[in-house]
Every structure is written in C-alpha cells, then in structure tokens.
Amino acid sequence: RTKPWKSGTNPPDPISIGYDQDRPQSLIQVGDEVAVSSVPKSGRLGGAISMWNPRTNEIRSYLDLVPNQAPVSLALHKGVLWAGSTINGGYGIEPVAKEAVLFAIDPVTGDKVFETVPWPGASNITALTLDGDGMLWAIADGALIKFDPETRKVIRAEQVFPATKSMYGTQNELLFRDDGYLYAVSAGSLWRVDPTSFERIRLAGHGVHYMAQDAEGQLYFSRVATLYRWNFNLESTIDATAPVT
C-alpha cells in the first residue's frame, strides 16, 4: 500500500495453484498463511484447499478432501479450518455426489478431522461465518444452519430463505453486526435475521449479490455492476413484522 503500483512488482505476478484447479472461491487468513478454496477446471470433479504464504509465494494444496466435491466456503475456529462443499465441479460435468457436506481439516497437515451433512440434499454449504459465541453459521440452498464446532453438532437448521440452488453458491453471504442481528444475502435479496428466533425481514431485493462490512459497520452489496450501501438510518421505516408463511 505504501509503494506505487507497478505491474509484476506491486502487486507481484499471480501464482497458479496447479493440480487442475481453476477458480478460487474463498480466502481466509490462517496465521502467516492464507487458506484458499478452489473448484476444478471444466469437465472435472473434486477441488482443493491450498495454503498460500503471500510473503514467500510458497503454496501447498490438499486435494480431494471430499470425493467428487469441492470446498467453496471457509472459516477458522481455534486452529481448525472448517469448510463447506459443493457437489458441483467444473463446468460441463454433472455432479456425482448427492449432498454437500460441512467438514474440518488440520491446516498444517491437511488431515480431515470431521465431516457431516448439516442439511440433507443441499447442493452447496456456503457463507460460513462465526458469531461472538464461537457458533458456526452457514447457508445451504436457502436453509440457515447454526452449528457448534465444539460439540460438532447442528444446533438449529431451518429453511429461512427461499430454497435456491446455484453452481457454487458464491453469491451467498452471512455476517454479524454489533446491533446483534445476522445479515444475509440469499435468493437475490438482503435479509436481516434475528439469530435467536430465526425471524427475518427482507431489506432489499431484485438481484442482490455479495456483501461486505466496513470498519464502521456499514453494509455494502451489489446488483450486477452497481455498488450499494445500506443506510441504517432508514430502519425506522422498515416493517419489522415477521411474515406469515
């Protein structure tokens, strides 16, 4: 950030994961390294979690951690790397697996230490995030999942958002704000969810994808090529009555 931009030097040239990996899906810092989940090239199944050292550009990859599935979402809890999978591979090949899994690995050795199906029949387990109590949250084809990584059990799972399937689920997002609510992007909408009752209201619709939060707690999302910021001063105009379904 302190040096002028120069192609190939700042930033340096990109490095290749290799092993027929194509598209990185999520990145998360693990000590001095960055864990990268990826899906394979067209016509292939499987995927990888790669540990990349951005200072040295050294990289090591853990392949086929879940047979015929690829990791697409990551979260770190007490030194254990958690990942959600997709049953889809590269474009042009039909999935073989029937349901996505939530699994955990040792990021140092790559050994898989746990695996479960938190929502039967889901094609993707995405948008992994942790709350202040260390609970792990995820979206699975529109279902909201609360999981305890200590007991390694699902605490609660409900079809909170409209049931939707996508290739990798990368448009789904989850994050907590200091107001105590869980904010989600799912089914093309921005939602506010009470993490205790699971009641939700839709804040914005019409093709909402992705979400980020800045240091001041402001939320940003996109619609195609347009970036939006959610104005929390509008909350007094929101009908917070839970919908009847």
Side-chain angles (χ1 to χ4, degrees):
R1 293 179 297 177
T2 61
K3 297 180 180 180
W5 178 88
K6 184 178 180 182
S7 180
T9 302
N10 186 36
D13 289 330
I15 63 171
S16 174
I17 295 174
Y19 303 106
D20 288 331
Q21 296 303 294
D22 186 18
R23 302 180 183 216
Q25 298 295 306
S26 56
L27 299 91
I28 187 171
Q29 185 171 351
V30 182
D32 293 332
E33 297 180 305
V34 176
V36 183
S37 66
S38 59
V39 299
K41 293 181 178 179
S42 296
R44 292 171 172 80
L45 294 171
I49 293 178
S50 300
M51 304 303 298
W52 167 52
N53 188 320
R55 295 183 181 272
T56 65
N57 262 352
E58 294 178 349
I59 189 169
R60 66 185 186 280
S61 297
Y62 306 134
L63 307 173
D64 299 323
L65 293 164
V66 180
N68 298 314
Q69 299 197 40
V72 289
S73 53
L74 298 172
L76 184 68
H77 180 264
K78 295 185 177 181
V80 176
L81 188 60
W82 290 85
S85 76
T86 177
I87 63 174
N88 296 297
Y91 285 92
I93 188 170
E94 292 296 320
V96 173
K98 302 301 182 184
E99 50 194 1
V101 302
L102 176 68
F103 67 98
I105 70 167
D106 181 328
V108 177
T109 65
D111 294 333
K112 185 166 63 175
V113 297
F114 180 75
E115 179 180 315
T116 189
V117 176
W119 188 259
S123 58
N124 302 301
I125 308 294
T126 61
L128 292 185
T129 195
L130 290 159
D131 65 19
D133 296 324
M135 297 293 107
L136 190 63
W137 296 74
I139 295 175
D141 294 358
L144 182 62
I145 298 166
K146 181 181 180 181
F147 180 87
D148 188 340
E150 295 285 349
T151 63
R152 297 183 176 179
K153 293 183 178 179
V154 174
I155 303 301
R156 188 172 178 178
E158 291 183 14
Q159 191 75 55
V160 172
F161 313 116
T164 54
K165 294 182 181 292
S166 64
M167 191 73 175
Y168 305 127
T170 51
Q171 71 276 14
N172 297 329
E173 301 283 355
L174 284 174
L175 58 82
F176 284 89
R177 289 187 75 249
D178 57 10
D179 59 8
Y181 287 107
L182 175 64
Y183 290 83
V185 170
S186 182
S189 296
L190 173 65
W191 309 82
R192 191 182 74 182
V193 182
D194 184 320
T196 300
S197 66
F198 275 37
E199 291 183 353
R200 88 283 191 229
I201 60 173
R202 181 160 53 188
L203 302 180
H206 308 295
V208 173
H209 287 153
Y210 312 111
M211 178 173 54
Q213 182 176 197
D214 66 15
E216 297 178 351
Q218 300 297 318
L219 295 186
Y220 300 83
F221 60 92
S222 69
R223 289 189 179 107
V224 191
T226 304
L227 178 66
Y228 293 83
R229 182 181 68 185
W230 179 258
N231 184 355
F232 284 93
N233 293 327
L234 296 176
E235 286 195 346
S236 61
T237 68
I238 295 173
D239 178 5
T241 304
V244 178
T245 60

